[in-house]
Amino acid sequence: MNAKPRTSILFVCLGNICRSPLAEGVFRSVVTERGRHADFMIDSAGTGAWHVGSAPDPRSIEIARRFGVDISMQRARQVNARDFERFDLLLGMDRNNVRTLRERAPEAAAGKIHLFLNYADGRTLDIPDPYYTRDFAGALELIEEASAGLITQLRNPAV
């Protein structure tokens, strides 16, 4: 008997210390709560390399912890060429992230790249970067909305 294929998702922001670690942690929590953790491979990365190897921003860790999600063990990494093959979906936190991913992606991977907030009630807005806005709670709220929409859309394992 063949096991169901796992859906692989990469959440992407600029430095991989604020929004994408939150998205990885929140989505991992959502799929675990629904008993679907085995159906997914979830990771996060940044388009830039400034914070490679660093833990998430302490403010991201704190806001996630307040909502019962532990992201403290994550470490920042930069998107690499292999990610475009490994992941079924690469979800940018804002339009600049999506544009950068599309510039770096091989043509065959272009259909895998989407704006994460497109999964939140049809929104096409960016998740503002709390590194600059300091609104970590607002970012988390948008990430929770998009995560709920994404899991609903992915009820069937095929992407």
Side-chain angles (χ1 to χ4, degrees), residues 10 12-13 45-48 77-81 83-84 90 101 104:
L10 182 66
V12 180
C13 69
T47 58
R77 72 178 189 85
Q78 186 176 22
V79 173
N80 61 58
D83 290 330
F84 296 103
L90 292 92
L101 287 169
R104 295 180 186 174

Side-chain angles (χ1 to χ4, degrees), residues 21-54:
L22 281 170
E24 176 186 348
V26 167
F27 193 71
R28 190 178 305 278
S29 176
V30 167
V31 299
T32 299
E33 286 171 7
R34 295 180 187 212
R36 298 204 41 210
H37 61 279
D39 296 343
F40 294 93
M41 180 178 84
I42 304 164
D43 198 3
S44 63
T47 58
W50 309 279
H51 303 289
V52 169
S54 297

Side-chain angles (χ1 to χ4, degrees), residues 100-117:
T100 301
L101 287 169
R102 288 190 174 139
E103 289 169 358
R104 295 180 186 174
E107 192 174 320
K112 299 177 174 186
I113 301 166
H114 303 278
L115 191 59
F116 186 37
L117 265 184

Side-chain angles (χ1 to χ4, degrees), residues 145-159:
E145 285 181 42
S147 293
L150 178 60
I151 192 69
T152 297
Q153 188 161 333
L154 295 175
R155 281 191 181 145
N156 298 321
V159 173

Side-chain angles (χ1 to χ4, degrees), residues 36-78:
R36 298 204 41 210
H37 61 279
D39 296 343
F40 294 93
M41 180 178 84
I42 304 164
D43 198 3
S44 63
T47 58
W50 309 279
H51 303 289
V52 169
S54 297
D57 186 293
R59 297 166 294 181
S60 285
I61 293 171
E62 177 57 31
I63 197 70
R65 183 173 290 137
R66 278 194 233 159
F67 289 89
V69 176
D70 183 7
I71 63 169
S72 63
M73 299 306 291
Q74 292 182 30
R75 293 296 174 260
R77 72 178 189 85
Q78 186 176 22

